[in-house]
Amino acid sequence: MTEYTPHVPSDSTESDSIAVSLHRLSKKIQLISDAVKALHQDRSQLETKIEDAQKRIQHILSRLPEQSDGRQLNLLGEPVTPTNPEDDNEPTTH
């Protein structure tokens, strides 16, 4: 098995170029890390919005009448007064 021997630069210009490359790479790593954090925050916000939308949908669905109920749907919760009380339970033909 061969032993690892680190490369020792022979002059200062080679070590300077390595230092510049390392600095450039560390900047890129930091940018990537910041982008990943931003994506994680965006994903968390989207998951929260999805959960809120699912709750609103579930609330609307819970307000739906049973299939056997012939009344008109009122999903907004506003009071609806029938124009003709005798026709209140008759199905519409529209």
Side-chain angles (χ1 to χ4, degrees), residues 70-87:
R71 293 179 293 166
Q72 194 174 21
L73 300 180
N74 180 10
L75 298 178
L76 299 177
E78 299 169 353
V80 176
T81 55
T83 55
N84 189 355
E86 296 90 31
D87 295 337

Side-chain angles (χ1 to χ4, degrees), residues 35-89:
V36 168
K37 287 178 187 175
L39 287 172
H40 181 68
Q41 288 176 345
D42 290 347
R43 181 179 176 157
S44 295
Q45 289 174 347
L46 289 174
E47 286 175 349
T48 301
K49 286 182 179 182
I50 290 170
E51 288 174 6
D52 290 344
Q54 287 173 335
K55 288 177 185 176
R56 287 193 306 273
I57 290 169
Q58 190 59 42
H59 177 71
I60 290 171
L61 291 176
S62 70
R63 296 184 62 158
L64 290 174
E66 297 295 322
Q67 286 185 343
S68 61
D69 193 344
R71 293 179 293 166
Q72 194 174 21
L73 300 180
N74 180 10
L75 298 178
L76 299 177
E78 299 169 353
V80 176
T81 55
T83 55
N84 189 355
E86 296 90 31
D87 295 337
D88 193 28
N89 289 330

Side-chain angles (χ1 to χ4, degrees), residues 1-21:
M1 193 166 212
T2 58
E3 186 176 315
Y4 174 73
T5 53
H7 173 71
V8 178
S10 58
D11 60 4
S12 65
T13 58
E14 189 176 344
S15 66
D16 288 346
S17 67
I18 291 173
V20 168
S21 293

Side-chain angles (χ1 to χ4, degrees), residues 16-27:
D16 288 346
S17 67
I18 291 173
V20 168
S21 293
L22 287 174
H23 182 69
R24 185 173 34 94
L25 286 174
S26 63
K27 280 185 173 180

